[in-house]
Amino acid sequence: MAPAISVEIEKKHIDEAVERAKAGLSKSESYYYGDRLTPGLQLRVQGRQAFWALKYFNFTKVIGYTYPAEDRHLPSVTAARKLAAACKDILDDDPKMLEPMLVKYYGGAVRDVKKAKKEMVAVSSGWTVQETAEAMIEARTKPDTDQPIKANTIAQFRLTLRRPQVAGLAKKPIADVTKADLDAIKREMDKHPGGASMIKKFVSDIRSILTWGATHASDTTGLDPSNIWWELVKSGKKTKAITRNPTIDDLIKTLILAEEYVSKPLPGRFSEGKYGVGDNVLNSLWWLVLSAQRATAGTRLRLVDFFPDPKRLESGWYLAFWAEADMKNSTAFVLPVPPRAVQFLQERLAKAKRRGDSQWCFPSSQEQGTVEADIPVDRNSPGGIIERLAVRDNPSRKKIERELKKNKKWESPYRDLLSENGVMYWSPHDIRRALTEVAEDHGIPGGASAVLAHEVKLSDDLLWVDNARNREQADALRVARVTKLAYGAGQFIPLKSKAMVAWTDTILDRYEELSPRVQAIRALERRARIEPYIYKDVGAIDQAVALARERLPAEIEAARDQLVIATETYNEMAARSDVKLHHIGEAKQRKADAEEALRLLLEEPHHFLADQSLAIRGQTLPGIMRPDYVAFDFKLEAPEYLEDRKRYISGEMSMQEFKAYLTAKHDFDFTLSADNLYLPGKDPRDALQQAA
């Protein structure tokens, strides 16, 4: 450190120091003036800063800055000398009091050393804003508190204090906080794109912290309960209510997109080294869609709280239960889940990765530090899927902003998959509005209220505590108590059930219609069900046609008789004057129909042979051996094959050509050595097993 130049510091020295600071000094350079009139007071220049320092015995403290002027600006030597003298007095008495005095000095509207020294005693040992907030959180999470707060509220308090605009305030003694401090933070937040919402949260949270500190810890905060000035602080902002109303197709198309990226990275994210969507998180999003519950509670569903409804054991109905602590309004809730939705969800849960004996339906795959913790997926994770599909997640947006700053022509590798597929952006909370519309369309608007209102009261303590010695007995008792709660007076389980059937059927029906994977599976299932009967019919067709051909002469003779009767009837009616014209017209049409029927039998007998051979296939050897083949409804299940079959019977194709045609169409194997009706590797049943 270079020695201080001893001078009587004047304005010219201050100006010179400011100029040197503006130009900047290297790390190895420094510049000092020592004031002759106030021993220990120094004007220093280091790097790009010019500041006042007080060197007193073995103590050195920066007490103000001449450049830059953003923080603790002390521009004149007169003010510096007065402040240095006051600091020496403080250091003689108690060095710990120096910083509180400086806070008071610079925090006042007028720089007054005497007033700062007088007021600094009140904050010398007081809690900071951060310390007060943590004390409040600790107090309000105790079992006997009359103001309980949930985990998401705690997270919101801590998020507010972590924001860069609030970082300085969080470290400040809470008794030193002024309305001017809060107003300044509001102005900074207002520069942010989401400033309105941020400001409202900040004002609400800081008022809660200050009020708790004044009413419960005035001795350690220094806050005066009789002067709650912060109640005058208002956000001054009105946030626009989110009124997104996604359609069922929006929900389903998003889920289908998410399923596609369980096994591959999202576009532009290959460098992340992982697939785009996790199974457990996707399952939780599916559950939020099927149950229409809030994300905080929905993701925290325990396996023990999702069980068959004891009142409807053989029906497939389940009950899902949440205790008060899991619900937003601190009211326990029971939701009936229809059998179809239960089966769908359980199939997904069975395929998902689980970590040991997790207690959660949707366990997180994340690790906390180096410890594998049994925790549910984060409540924001299901919505995070939608954000990533729409490139609205913060990491992607920040990267795009950074790259565009470097190069305005930079082309983003990310793709907004929702927009590309005509899907409106939505969040899990929007599902609740969609449920209301579906319930109203089904004539049960009250059902939506029952599903969403969380009206069940819980008198017994059913909060989850995993400390039972006999887990099986404890689980059984829990099921019995939840069931009693669910079917108690005024719990609306029948009404909820109707609404849940209408809602989940709407979701799953549309999913089956739109999902390429489901459609592919349905096609494989249809092939596996229908094609064996087509294959069987090819082996029986010649025998059935031969039997039908034996009946053809009798059918032709019967058709001739019908034509004679129809002709005579028509001629008789046409010769009479008392017969109405429309009756004559009907008789004429019957005569024409009889003529056409006889013509078809004589000129195009394959129509009769095709229909008759199908009807009498039970008389063939394959029909005798396979009653299920005889019962199969070709007209309903395989109308296209009947057209192909008729073409063969008409002589348009030979049997060899017919089999070749069906082989190309259905992958059949008609070779004599075949031990399977399909060509190798073409059996749809094998493909179904792989899909499952």
Side-chain angles (χ1 to χ4, degrees):
M1 182 179 72
I5 301 172
S6 179
V7 296
E8 183 178 332
I9 297 177
E10 299 177 358
K11 185 177 182 302
K12 64 180 181 179
H13 299 109
I14 296 173
D15 293 341
E16 182 181 348
V18 168
E19 290 303 316
R20 287 180 180 273
K22 287 181 178 179
L25 299 181
S26 66
K27 292 182 179 179
S28 60
E29 293 180 303
S30 58
Y31 197 79
Y32 297 82
Y33 284 120
D35 187 39
R36 290 175 182 170
L37 298 184
T38 305
L41 178 63
Q42 297 177 350
L43 178 61
R44 299 183 177 185
V45 180
Q46 289 180 339
R48 293 184 177 275
Q49 290 184 329
F51 55 90
W52 298 99
L54 177 63
K55 188 173 178 59
Y56 192 60
F57 293 102
N58 61 347
F59 186 92
T60 303
K61 173 72 174 180
V62 176
I63 62 173
Y65 292 84
T66 61
Y67 182 84
E70 285 84 358
D71 186 36
R72 296 192 175 187
H73 189 220
L74 195 60
S76 72
V77 66
T78 301
R81 287 167 179 159
K82 288 182 179 180
L83 183 58
C87 290
K88 290 180 180 179
D89 291 340
I90 297 295
L91 292 172
D92 287 339
D93 295 334
D94 186 356
K96 294 180 181 179
M97 306 288 278
L98 180 58
E99 181 58 26
M101 190 276 287
L102 291 174
V103 169
K104 284 293 183 181
Y105 177 77
Y106 286 105
V110 178
R111 303 285 175 83
D112 189 326
V113 172
K114 291 183 178 180
K115 184 178 180 181
K117 289 176 66 176
K118 182 179 179 181
E119 293 180 352
M120 57 93 181
V121 177
V123 298
S124 60
S125 60
W127 283 343
T128 64
V129 173
Q130 185 76 54
E131 290 170 335
T132 306
E134 292 301 325
M136 177 194 70
I137 290 170
E138 181 181 359
R140 294 181 64 181
T141 51
K142 289 182 177 179
D144 59 350
T145 181
D146 61 349
Q147 291 182 306
I149 52 176
K150 295 186 175 65
N152 55 324
T153 306
I154 295 171
Q156 176 57 47
F157 279 126
R158 288 173 173 160
L159 172 62
T160 294
L161 296 181
R162 283 200 310 271
R163 294 196 183 280
Q165 301 90 339
V166 190
L169 181 78
K171 299 175 183 178
K172 189 173 185 177
I174 196 166
D176 287 352
V177 174
T178 65
K179 186 174 181 298
D181 292 331
L182 307 189
D183 288 341
I185 290 173
K186 285 164 53 183
R187 283 192 296 274
E188 286 300 310
M189 286 183 168
D190 204 22
K191 299 174 183 177
H192 192 276
S197 177
M198 194 186 297
I199 290 170
K200 287 178 72 69
K201 286 289 186 183
F202 166 69
V203 170
S204 173
D205 291 348
I206 199 66
R207 284 172 58 174
S208 294
I209 295 168
L210 286 161
T211 298
W212 185 89
T215 55
H216 296 283
S218 60
D219 58 330
T220 49
T221 62
L223 294 171
D224 183 359
S226 65
N227 181 24
I228 306 181
W229 55 265
W230 48 88
E231 291 296 330
L232 298 174
V233 179
K234 307 295 181 185
S235 69
K237 295 292 181 181
K238 179 180 179 182
T239 54
K240 186 178 180 181
I242 298 175
T243 56
R244 290 189 299 258
N245 198 7
T247 64
I248 298 300
D249 280 10
D250 288 329
L251 304 182
I252 298 305
K253 287 180 180 178
T254 303
L255 289 164
I256 291 172
L257 278 170
E259 288 178 342
E260 180 182 348
Y261 289 96
V262 167
S263 57
K264 63 182 182 182
L266 287 161
R269 302 172 191 262
F270 299 97
S271 61
E272 294 180 3
K274 58 184 179 181
Y275 295 148
V277 178
D279 270 316
N280 288 339
V281 178
L282 177 56
N283 289 347
S284 69
L285 180 58
W286 258 113
W287 171 238
L288 295 185
V289 170
L290 290 170
S291 68
Q293 298 306 300
R294 291 185 175 91
T296 301
T299 54
R300 295 182 62 82
L301 180 65
R302 292 181 172 85
L303 289 170
V304 72
D305 288 329
F306 186 60
F307 54 85
D309 184 347
K311 296 285 187 179
R312 300 181 276 188
L313 274 179
E314 302 303 321
S315 67
W317 279 87
Y318 268 52
L319 296 179
F321 169 72
W322 293 270
E324 293 103 320
D326 294 323
M327 303 307 294
K328 181 180 180 181
N329 60 359
S330 299
T331 305
F333 183 60
V334 182
L335 181 72
V337 185
R340 184 182 178 192
V342 170
Q343 182 180 358
F344 179 84
L345 185 64
Q346 287 183 330
E347 287 175 357
R348 298 197 64 88
L349 292 177
K351 296 175 184 178
K353 297 177 181 178
R354 300 190 63 80
R355 174 176 290 166
D357 298 324
S358 174
Q359 63 173 309
W360 304 101
C361 287
F362 314 107
S364 173
S365 60
Q366 300 296 317
E367 297 180 0
Q368 293 186 333
T370 59
V371 179
E372 292 187 357
D374 183 22
I375 57 175
V377 299
D378 186 88
R379 66 191 182 98
N380 295 314
S381 295
I385 292 177
I386 309 167
E387 290 181 354
R388 285 163 64 81
L389 291 173
V391 197
R392 293 197 180 197
D393 56 305
N394 277 332
S396 299
R397 290 193 298 182
K398 289 178 179 177
K399 181 176 180 180
I400 291 171
E401 290 174 3
R402 287 197 304 269
E403 296 298 333
L404 287 175
K405 284 182 180 178
K406 298 177 186 176
N407 178 11
K408 292 183 179 180
K409 295 182 180 180
W410 179 75
E411 293 185 7
S412 171
Y414 305 124
R415 287 166 48 200
D416 184 345
L417 295 170
L418 295 190
S419 294
E420 288 181 15
N421 288 274
V423 177
M424 169 186 154
Y425 180 78
W426 55 281
S427 72
H429 195 78
D430 299 324
I431 300 166
R432 300 162 70 80
R433 280 186 287 275
L435 166 66
T436 301
E437 286 194 3
V438 169
E440 289 175 350
D441 290 344
H442 283 76
I444 43 176
S449 298
V451 169
L452 302 178
H454 305 164
E455 76 295 338
V456 180
K457 299 294 182 183
L458 181 62
S459 56
D460 293 329
D461 178 18
L462 278 170
L463 299 181
W464 175 252
V465 180
D466 191 11
N467 60 1
R469 294 182 180 179
N470 188 330
R471 173 53 47 207
E472 183 176 348
Q473 182 179 358
D475 289 352
L477 178 61
R478 183 178 182 83
V479 167
R481 293 168 70 190
V482 172
T483 306
K484 182 179 179 181
L485 170 69
Y487 282 93
Q491 306 310 323
F492 307 113
I493 288 294
L495 184 59
K496 288 179 182 176
S497 297
K498 289 181 181 179
M500 285 296 290
V501 167
W503 171 248
T504 55
D505 279 353
T506 298
I507 291 295
L508 295 176
D509 285 348
R510 193 58 175 150
Y511 172 68
E512 291 177 359
E513 292 169 1
L514 294 180
S515 170
R517 176 178 173 275
V518 172
Q519 289 302 311
I521 290 175
R522 294 289 181 271
L524 289 172
E525 290 174 342
R526 183 175 183 275
R527 286 186 59 197
R529 186 181 73 255
I530 293 173
E531 290 180 343
Y533 294 116
I534 295 176
Y535 189 90
K536 182 66 63 177
D537 187 68
V538 173
I541 190 170
D542 284 346
Q543 187 180 355
V545 169
L547 293 172
R549 197 177 297 279
E550 293 176 0
R551 300 186 180 189
L552 181 59
E555 191 71 18
I556 292 173
E557 190 61 32
R560 285 193 174 116
D561 292 342
Q562 288 295 322
L563 177 58
V564 170
I565 294 171
T567 302
E568 291 176 350
T569 301
Y570 168 69
N571 291 337
E572 180 185 352
M573 294 178 70
R576 293 169 54 182
S577 60
D578 60 337
V579 179
K580 294 181 179 180
L581 290 177
H582 74 274
H583 288 158
I584 296 174
E586 291 172 354
K588 184 178 181 180
Q589 183 61 50
R590 285 193 291 272
K591 176 176 175 291
D593 291 343
E595 289 173 344
E596 178 61 15
L598 180 59
R599 187 196 69 79
L600 287 174
L601 288 170
L602 293 172
E603 299 177 11
E604 301 178 40
H606 63 277
H607 294 294
F608 169 79
L609 295 175
D611 292 341
Q612 190 66 20
S613 64
L614 190 66
I616 63 175
R617 66 186 184 274
Q619 299 176 27
T620 65
L621 182 60
I624 294 171
M625 300 295 292
R626 291 284 300 272
D628 59 318
Y629 157 62
V630 178
F632 182 74
D633 191 342
F634 279 92
K635 291 182 180 179
L636 178 65
E637 298 270 24
E640 292 182 0
Y641 167 69
L642 292 184
E643 293 300 317
D644 296 334
R645 185 178 187 271
K646 186 178 291 186
R647 289 171 57 202
Y648 164 68
I649 293 173
S650 71
E652 188 177 326
M653 292 184 286
S654 67
M655 176 55 76
Q656 184 178 0
E657 291 171 333
F658 186 42
K659 288 183 176 180
Y661 170 78
L662 293 176
T663 297
K665 189 172 184 178
H666 299 288
D667 296 317
F668 288 153
D669 187 351
F670 290 107
T671 62
L672 293 176
S673 61
D675 55 2
N676 187 1
L677 64 94
Y678 291 103
L679 294 169
K682 300 295 184 179
D683 193 329
R685 291 166 295 189
D686 295 338
L688 273 172
Q689 288 182 347
Q690 294 175 1

